[in-house]
């Protein structure tokens, strides 16, 4: 069983180092079909009695009213075998918490109190693609934003995703039009790893215009969903899905978000998870950046302008610090610097006497006489017949 | 003696409610010519013995070595009368701390420990324009930025200055090309009040291309400098001048700043003064916004995207809060909302039975039967022959 390196796009035949028994996988496949994510009461039952026993109880209807509320409508849907066959037909697999491939640590963040408001750890994940999911998300960043993106936003999303992927980070997004699509494409263009988290079955090409993109991600990256094959996208499923994007990315970059963009939902979840929330600033004249600027102004997000800044924000162990610009001068300057004042008082075209320089600069004559040779040594002043002349700074 | 309202451009004949005696004004005019700003030791001497006595001591050379260092080069320059005549010829005046017009409180900020690194309160201010300086800066904002501004930067500077001036705030800037010029013009276009703080004499048109703009500001706004008439601009004078821009504005908005822009100096001084520092975000692809984004990322500045946000940041007494966007929904959403799930499961073109809706949505049949009439009342569902049909959300 091979484990491909995290950020390589090299396909492997069977990435899932499965530990789960068939019974467990079948039970979770059944429960994944029966309960609409996120079913908190059912999850608690699974945690208590295990997935196989929980599936039996759900089937028989011998469950608490709250679990019944989450399972009674579809408990007769016995499609576990068929769903596993469906996912196999598209080259995919069902990854369950009992598997080695399960991204345990990233998803654990969903279990904190604030995060549970948007749903806890999934019952199972339907996955396509030639990478080991747990490794793929070890160094990952979510790059999200508006569907109604501007040219600027798509450009920046693509560039940043390309840079992140080149730096060995996995780019997680939602495969929507606009920013999401640009992010996936940027990562693919860098031959890097990208994960599309869907609000529908992983066999469903949604949005339709991204059929080709999704096919490519299935071949070179990963497609992940907690919805079984064939499930269609719905409004509430996007919100439920967003928590997985936030959880699988080590931090979230919002490239563009209008005032009511869904990306603001992913941003709020990222905060609830305690993960770094980053936004890309944009023109204040652009409606597509309003949501980003709101997050900045509220102090909820940090501004990122480059790949290095993103890597620094999500980096661990301090080994990913963005390099400081080489010249970091004192910004308060030295307005009283006598040498500067003497320099400014020198003649531009003709020489000026030291006395005239003293009056012009307000620097005492004795100091002027001491400073002029220093300026000459520094290549900033020239002694000519009539006095001292200025040489331009390089 | 009339005091024009702060933010009106109505000219008045003699705005200075002078309290200073002629002797004091002549002494400060002399000292202003003799010492290059900022002369800390001389300022301490003036504070100790008063300006008239200080001028006498400087003239006679009977001063400490540190004061001598700041005054010996020019102490023979007896031009006080001539300078006052010069400023009068261009319709201006010398405003001194003993005058009622002196902006006491704004300039006092220069006396704190951090701020004194860039120079304390000026010895005197040379002023042109038909407004009472102390009133003009009562509600003022500095709007500054790169000379090498982008079209975006100049547009935003002009729009923001127009909006601030319309809201009754005075726009303070440095009359440079680029952002400064756009800010002054925006304020003038709104028939508002603008102050140009110069690094040269107020009778000097610098930069030359802003001769017309400066003439208009002298007629409708205020031109202020601590340099006597005829003094030419010099590099160090811009840095010294920047502290006055920061002090006279109640806060500073940096619209655009490259990595090495002088606006970063004004930003640093603004912080040292303890005044609100605001930056306008811009495209991360623009070199003109790099300095702004650095200030944001370092947490040194707050992001502002609108006039209302600037007014909120500089506003006092909580009466200038930017209005919240009307709809402030919960951004974590309600992904488990059963009503939403039922709604999404309705037929788009044909009716669907409650049973089918239950299976599709995963919501128990009984709850579906309760929710459908609620959706109908809300105008979101329609009961048709075959069952329930979806009505699009408005």
């Amino acid at each position: 069983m091979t484990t491909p390196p995290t950020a390589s796009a090299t396909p492997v035949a069977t990435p899932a180092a499965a530990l789960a028994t068939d019974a467990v996988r079948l039970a979770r496949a059944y429960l994944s079909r029966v309960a609409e994510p996120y079913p908190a009461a059912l999850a608690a039952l699974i945690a208590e009695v295990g997935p196989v026993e929980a599936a039996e109880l759900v089937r028989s209807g011998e469950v608490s009213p709250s679990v019944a509320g989450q399972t009674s409508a579809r408990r007769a849907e016995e499609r576990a075998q068929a769903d596993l066959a469906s996912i196999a037909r598209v080259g995919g697999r069902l990854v369950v918490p009992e598997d080695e491939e399960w991204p345990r640590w990233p998803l654990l963040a969903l279990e904190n109190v604030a995060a549970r408001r948007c749903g806890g750890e999934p019952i199972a994940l339907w996955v396509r693609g030639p990478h080991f999911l747990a490794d793929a998300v070890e160094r990952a960043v979510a790059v999200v934003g508006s569907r109604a993106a501007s040219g600027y936003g798509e450009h920046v999303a693509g560039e940043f995703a390309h840079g992140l992927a080149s730096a060995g980070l996995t780019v997680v997004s939602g495969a929507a039009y606009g920013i999401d699509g640009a992010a996936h494409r940027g990562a693919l263009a860098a031959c890097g790893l990208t994960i599309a988290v869907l609000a529908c079955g992983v066999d469903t090409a949604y949005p339709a215009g991204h059929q080709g993109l999704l096919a490519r991600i299935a071949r070179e990256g990963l497609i992940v969903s907690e919805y079984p094959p064939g499930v269609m996208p719905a409004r509430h499923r996007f919100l439920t899905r967003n928590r997985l994007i936030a959880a699988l990315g080590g931090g979230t970059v919002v490239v563009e978000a209008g005032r009511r963009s869904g990306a603001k939902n992913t941003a709020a979840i990222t905060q609830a998870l305690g993960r770094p929330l980053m936004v890309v600033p944009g023109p204040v004249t652009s409606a597509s950046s309003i949501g980003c600027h709101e997050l900045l102004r509220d102090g909820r997000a940090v501004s990122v302008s480059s790949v290095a800044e993103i890597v620094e924000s999500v980096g661990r162990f301090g080994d990913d610090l963005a390099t400081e610009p080489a010249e970091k001068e004192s910004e308060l300057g030295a307005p009283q610097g006598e040498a500067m004042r003497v320099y400014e008082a020198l003649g531009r075209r003709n020489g000026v006497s030291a006395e005239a320089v003293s009056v012009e600069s307000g620097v005492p004559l004795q100091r002027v006489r001491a400073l002029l040779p220093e300026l000459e040594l520094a290549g900033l002043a020239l002694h000519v017949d009539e006095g001292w002349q200025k040489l331009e700074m390089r």
Side-chain angles (χ1 to χ4, degrees), chain A:
Chain A
M1 192 80 15
T2 52
T3 303
T6 305
S8 139
T10 319
V12 290
T14 49
L19 286 176
T21 63
D22 285 353
V24 164
R25 200 172 312 278
L26 279 165
R28 288 199 179 263
Y30 164 76
L31 294 168
S32 164
R33 169 66 68 181
V34 162
E36 179 77 19
Y38 170 77
L42 174 60
L45 178 65
I46 296 172
E48 192 190 331
V49 302
V52 178
E53 171 78 6
E56 275 315 305
L57 292 169
V58 166
R59 262 185 199 99
S60 65
E62 291 163 13
V63 287
S64 68
S66 52
V67 175
Q70 289 162 3
T71 55
S72 64
R74 299 190 199 137
R75 70 185 166 97
E77 303 266 303
E78 288 286 1
R79 290 167 56 179
Q81 293 279 12
D83 284 339
L84 289 171
S86 290
I87 192 77
R89 262 198 303 282
V90 293
R93 59 202 181 271
L94 180 68
V95 179
V96 296
E98 291 78 6
D99 288 329
E100 229 181 79
E101 193 185 351
W102 188 256
R104 198 166 318 280
W105 298 111
L107 293 179
L108 206 60
L110 292 170
E111 296 294 320
N112 83 44
V113 176
R116 281 192 68 91
R117 282 179 54 202
C118 39
E121 194 182 66
I123 290 177
L125 289 172
W126 304 84
V127 177
R128 291 173 71 184
H131 299 276
F132 197 76
L133 180 58
D135 289 349
V137 297
E138 211 169 81
R139 281 185 83 221
V141 182
V143 177
V144 301
S146 293
R147 277 166 297 183
S150 72
Y152 163 72
E154 295 201 13
H155 169 79
V156 172
E159 289 290 312
F160 281 13
H162 189 283
L164 290 166
S166 301
L169 278 82
T170 298
V171 174
V172 181
S173 196
Y177 290 131
I179 300 299
D180 289 15
H184 290 305
R185 283 192 196 95
L188 289 172
C191 299
L193 211 163
T194 191
I195 301 180
V197 186
L198 304 188
C200 56
V202 294
D203 57 342
T204 305
Y206 183 90
H210 277 176
Q211 186 157 17
L213 176 63
L214 285 163
R216 191 167 166 205
I217 298 174
R219 281 196 309 273
E220 303 175 19
L222 286 168
I223 300 185
V224 171
S225 175
E226 59 185 325
Y227 300 99
V231 169
M232 296 305 291
R235 206 174 302 226
H236 60 92
R237 290 185 182 130
F238 287 100
L239 295 173
T240 305
R241 180 276 311 262
N242 288 347
R243 85 187 197 289
L244 291 186
I245 293 180
L248 294 177
T252 300
V253 180
V254 182
V255 178
E256 278 192 329
R259 180 153 274 155
R260 307 188 58 157
S261 167
K264 290 175 74 177
N265 168 255
T266 312
I269 297 168
T270 301
Q271 283 200 287
L273 295 181
R275 299 273 169 81
L277 177 59
M278 296 153 274
V279 305
V280 176
V284 298
T285 46
S286 164
S288 309
S289 287
I290 289 180
C292 289
H293 296 153
E294 279 180 7
L295 291 168
L296 265 185
R297 184 162 168 80
D298 294 350
R300 293 163 59 190
V302 64
S303 162
V304 286
S305 305
S306 66
V307 170
E309 290 181 354
I310 297 170
V311 172
E312 178 182 302
S313 287
V314 297
R316 294 166 226 175
F317 314 123
D319 52 4
D320 287 326
L321 288 174
T323 44
E324 288 283 309
E327 352 81 305
K328 187 93 177 179
E329 317 107 295
S330 157
E331 281 158 2
L332 281 171
Q336 274 78 247
E338 287 181 332
M340 173 64 100
R341 283 160 56 189
V342 167
Y343 172 76
E344 291 284 338
L346 295 176
R348 202 174 284 271
R349 285 188 202 84
N350 304 304
V352 179
S353 71
E355 290 73 14
V357 169
S358 167
V359 170
E360 171 62 25
S361 65
V363 175
L365 185 56
Q366 207 179 332
R367 283 291 295 147
V368 170
R369 289 212 170 103
L371 285 167
L372 283 170
E374 287 184 24
L375 287 171
E376 190 174 29
L377 279 172
L380 294 171
L382 188 66
H383 199 181
V384 293
D385 278 351
E386 329 87 283
W388 293 83
Q389 197 177 329
K390 178 189 276 185
L391 293 177
E392 284 308 314
M393 288 191 183
R394 266 167 288 267

PDB file of all heavy atoms in Angstrom, chain A residues 357-373:
ATOM      1  N   VAL A 357      26.329  77.738   2.896  1.00  0.00           N
ATOM      2  CA  VAL A 357      25.700  76.461   3.251  1.00  0.00           C
ATOM      3  C   VAL A 357      25.220  76.512   4.702  1.00  0.00           C
ATOM      4  O   VAL A 357      24.129  76.054   5.040  1.00  0.00           O
ATOM      5  CB  VAL A 357      26.685  75.278   3.043  1.00  0.00           C
ATOM      6  CG1 VAL A 357      26.141  74.005   3.657  1.00  0.00           C
ATOM      7  CG2 VAL A 357      26.961  75.085   1.562  1.00  0.00           C
ATOM      8  N   SER A 358      26.016  77.121   5.570  1.00  0.00           N
ATOM      9  CA  SER A 358      25.652  77.205   6.987  1.00  0.00           C
ATOM     10  C   SER A 358      24.360  78.000   7.163  1.00  0.00           C
ATOM     11  O   SER A 358      23.431  77.569   7.844  1.00  0.00           O
ATOM     12  CB  SER A 358      26.806  77.860   7.768  1.00  0.00           C
ATOM     13  OG  SER A 358      26.369  78.222   9.066  1.00  0.00           O
ATOM     14  N   VAL A 359      24.261  79.148   6.492  1.00  0.00           N
ATOM     15  CA  VAL A 359      23.056  79.976   6.611  1.00  0.00           C
ATOM     16  C   VAL A 359      21.851  79.255   6.009  1.00  0.00           C
ATOM     17  O   VAL A 359      20.771  79.188   6.602  1.00  0.00           O
ATOM     18  CB  VAL A 359      23.279  81.346   5.921  1.00  0.00           C
ATOM     19  CG1 VAL A 359      21.972  82.113   5.833  1.00  0.00           C
ATOM     20  CG2 VAL A 359      24.324  82.143   6.694  1.00  0.00           C
ATOM     21  N   GLU A 360      22.053  78.672   4.837  1.00  0.00           N
ATOM     22  CA  GLU A 360      20.940  78.007   4.155  1.00  0.00           C
ATOM     23  C   GLU A 360      20.446  76.811   4.964  1.00  0.00           C
ATOM     24  O   GLU A 360      19.245  76.577   5.081  1.00  0.00           O
ATOM     25  CB  GLU A 360      21.402  77.567   2.752  1.00  0.00           C
ATOM     26  CG  GLU A 360      20.442  76.673   1.990  1.00  0.00           C
ATOM     27  CD  GLU A 360      19.100  77.332   1.714  1.00  0.00           C
ATOM     28  OE1 GLU A 360      19.045  78.578   1.677  1.00  0.00           O
ATOM     29  OE2 GLU A 360      18.100  76.595   1.551  1.00  0.00           O
ATOM     30  N   SER A 361      21.390  76.068   5.531  1.00  0.00           N
ATOM     31  CA  SER A 361      20.984  74.833   6.224  1.00  0.00           C
ATOM     32  C   SER A 361      20.640  75.083   7.685  1.00  0.00           C
ATOM     33  O   SER A 361      19.974  74.270   8.314  1.00  0.00           O
ATOM     34  CB  SER A 361      22.127  73.812   6.170  1.00  0.00           C
ATOM     35  OG  SER A 361      23.251  74.293   6.897  1.00  0.00           O
ATOM     36  N   GLY A 362      21.114  76.206   8.227  1.00  0.00           N
ATOM     37  CA  GLY A 362      20.906  76.448   9.655  1.00  0.00           C
ATOM     38  C   GLY A 362      21.857  75.638  10.516  1.00  0.00           C
ATOM     39  O   GLY A 362      21.689  75.569  11.730  1.00  0.00           O
ATOM     40  N   VAL A 363      22.859  75.014   9.904  1.00  0.00           N
ATOM     41  CA  VAL A 363      23.832  74.217  10.663  1.00  0.00           C
ATOM     42  C   VAL A 363      25.051  75.112  10.933  1.00  0.00           C
ATOM     43  O   VAL A 363      25.523  75.797  10.017  1.00  0.00           O
ATOM     44  CB  VAL A 363      24.239  72.964   9.857  1.00  0.00           C
ATOM     45  CG1 VAL A 363      25.336  72.184  10.584  1.00  0.00           C
ATOM     46  CG2 VAL A 363      23.020  72.081   9.613  1.00  0.00           C
ATOM     47  N   PRO A 364      25.555  75.121  12.179  1.00  0.00           N
ATOM     48  CA  PRO A 364      26.686  76.000  12.499  1.00  0.00           C
ATOM     49  C   PRO A 364      27.857  75.778  11.542  1.00  0.00           C
ATOM     50  O   PRO A 364      28.123  74.644  11.128  1.00  0.00           O
ATOM     51  CB  PRO A 364      27.056  75.590  13.927  1.00  0.00           C
ATOM     52  CG  PRO A 364      25.820  74.969  14.485  1.00  0.00           C
ATOM     53  CD  PRO A 364      25.113  74.340  13.339  1.00  0.00           C
ATOM     54  N   LEU A 365      28.568  76.888  11.250  1.00  0.00           N
ATOM     55  CA  LEU A 365      29.641  76.859  10.259  1.00  0.00           C
ATOM     56  C   LEU A 365      30.689  75.792  10.570  1.00  0.00           C
ATOM     57  O   LEU A 365      31.145  75.068   9.677  1.00  0.00           O
ATOM     58  CB  LEU A 365      30.296  78.252  10.189  1.00  0.00           C
ATOM     59  CG  LEU A 365      31.373  78.443   9.113  1.00  0.00           C
ATOM     60  CD1 LEU A 365      30.825  78.098   7.733  1.00  0.00           C
ATOM     61  CD2 LEU A 365      31.902  79.875   9.138  1.00  0.00           C
ATOM     62  N   GLN A 366      31.017  75.676  11.862  1.00  0.00           N
ATOM     63  CA  GLN A 366      32.033  74.701  12.247  1.00  0.00           C
ATOM     64  C   GLN A 366      31.598  73.273  11.883  1.00  0.00           C
ATOM     65  O   GLN A 366      32.388  72.471  11.379  1.00  0.00           O
ATOM     66  CB  GLN A 366      32.249  74.815  13.765  1.00  0.00           C
ATOM     67  CG  GLN A 366      33.634  74.401  14.245  1.00  0.00           C
ATOM     68  CD  GLN A 366      33.729  74.573  15.767  1.00  0.00           C
ATOM     69  OE1 GLN A 366      33.045  75.424  16.341  1.00  0.00           O
ATOM     70  NE2 GLN A 366      34.551  73.761  16.407  1.00  0.00           N
ATOM     71  N   ARG A 367      30.333  72.975  12.147  1.00  0.00           N
ATOM     72  CA  ARG A 367      29.797  71.641  11.812  1.00  0.00           C
ATOM     73  C   ARG A 367      29.774  71.459  10.298  1.00  0.00           C
ATOM     74  O   ARG A 367      30.065  70.383   9.775  1.00  0.00           O
ATOM     75  CB  ARG A 367      28.377  71.465  12.371  1.00  0.00           C
ATOM     76  CG  ARG A 367      28.299  71.198  13.863  1.00  0.00           C
ATOM     77  CD  ARG A 367      28.830  69.827  14.235  1.00  0.00           C
ATOM     78  NE  ARG A 367      28.012  68.735  13.683  1.00  0.00           N
ATOM     79  CZ  ARG A 367      28.506  67.565  13.301  1.00  0.00           C
ATOM     80  NH1 ARG A 367      29.793  67.323  13.395  1.00  0.00           N
ATOM     81  NH2 ARG A 367      27.700  66.625  12.817  1.00  0.00           N
ATOM     82  N   VAL A 368      29.376  72.528   9.582  1.00  0.00           N
ATOM     83  CA  VAL A 368      29.342  72.439   8.120  1.00  0.00           C
ATOM     84  C   VAL A 368      30.730  72.089   7.603  1.00  0.00           C
ATOM     85  O   VAL A 368      30.893  71.208   6.745  1.00  0.00           O
ATOM     86  CB  VAL A 368      28.853  73.776   7.510  1.00  0.00           C
ATOM     87  CG1 VAL A 368      29.047  73.774   5.984  1.00  0.00           C
ATOM     88  CG2 VAL A 368      27.382  74.010   7.859  1.00  0.00           C
ATOM     89  N   ARG A 369      31.747  72.749   8.162  1.00  0.00           N
ATOM     90  CA  ARG A 369      33.130  72.509   7.707  1.00  0.00           C
ATOM     91  C   ARG A 369      33.555  71.076   8.011  1.00  0.00           C
ATOM     92  O   ARG A 369      34.359  70.495   7.286  1.00  0.00           O
ATOM     93  CB  ARG A 369      34.076  73.498   8.405  1.00  0.00           C
ATOM     94  CG  ARG A 369      33.891  74.927   7.892  1.00  0.00           C
ATOM     95  CD  ARG A 369      35.220  75.701   7.938  1.00  0.00           C
ATOM     96  NE  ARG A 369      35.096  76.981   7.241  1.00  0.00           N
ATOM     97  CZ  ARG A 369      34.968  78.166   7.866  1.00  0.00           C
ATOM     98  NH1 ARG A 369      34.947  78.225   9.181  1.00  0.00           N
ATOM     99  NH2 ARG A 369      34.874  79.280   7.162  1.00  0.00           N
ATOM    100  N   ALA A 370      33.011  70.493   9.077  1.00  0.00           N
ATOM    101  CA  ALA A 370      33.355  69.102   9.408  1.00  0.00           C
ATOM    102  C   ALA A 370      32.578  68.121   8.529  1.00  0.00           C
ATOM    103  O   ALA A 370      33.073  67.059   8.161  1.00  0.00           O
ATOM    104  CB  ALA A 370      33.056  68.836  10.881  1.00  0.00           C
ATOM    105  N   LEU A 371      31.357  68.518   8.197  1.00  0.00           N
ATOM    106  CA  LEU A 371      30.483  67.578   7.471  1.00  0.00           C
ATOM    107  C   LEU A 371      30.798  67.528   5.973  1.00  0.00           C
ATOM    108  O   LEU A 371      30.624  66.493   5.332  1.00  0.00           O
ATOM    109  CB  LEU A 371      29.008  67.966   7.674  1.00  0.00           C
ATOM    110  CG  LEU A 371      28.428  67.615   9.052  1.00  0.00           C
ATOM    111  CD1 LEU A 371      27.094  68.321   9.268  1.00  0.00           C
ATOM    112  CD2 LEU A 371      28.257  66.091   9.166  1.00  0.00           C
ATOM    113  N   LEU A 372      31.255  68.662   5.406  1.00  0.00           N
ATOM    114  CA  LEU A 372      31.484  68.683   3.954  1.00  0.00           C
ATOM    115  C   LEU A 372      32.485  67.620   3.485  1.00  0.00           C
ATOM    116  O   LEU A 372      32.184  66.885   2.522  1.00  0.00           O
ATOM    117  CB  LEU A 372      31.911  70.092   3.521  1.00  0.00           C
ATOM    118  CG  LEU A 372      30.755  71.105   3.451  1.00  0.00           C
ATOM    119  CD1 LEU A 372      31.278  72.529   3.263  1.00  0.00           C
ATOM    120  CD2 LEU A 372      29.775  70.735   2.343  1.00  0.00           C
ATOM    121  N   PRO A 373      33.626  67.452   4.172  1.00  0.00           N
ATOM    122  CA  PRO A 373      34.535  66.378   3.738  1.00  0.00           C
ATOM    123  C   PRO A 373      33.910  64.985   3.889  1.00  0.00           C
ATOM    124  O   PRO A 373      34.192  64.094   3.084  1.00  0.00           O
ATOM    125  CB  PRO A 373      35.742  66.547   4.676  1.00  0.00           C
ATOM    126  CG  PRO A 373      35.672  67.969   5.135  1.00  0.00           C
ATOM    127  CD  PRO A 373      34.219  68.302   5.210  1.00  0.00           C
TER     128      PRO A 373
END
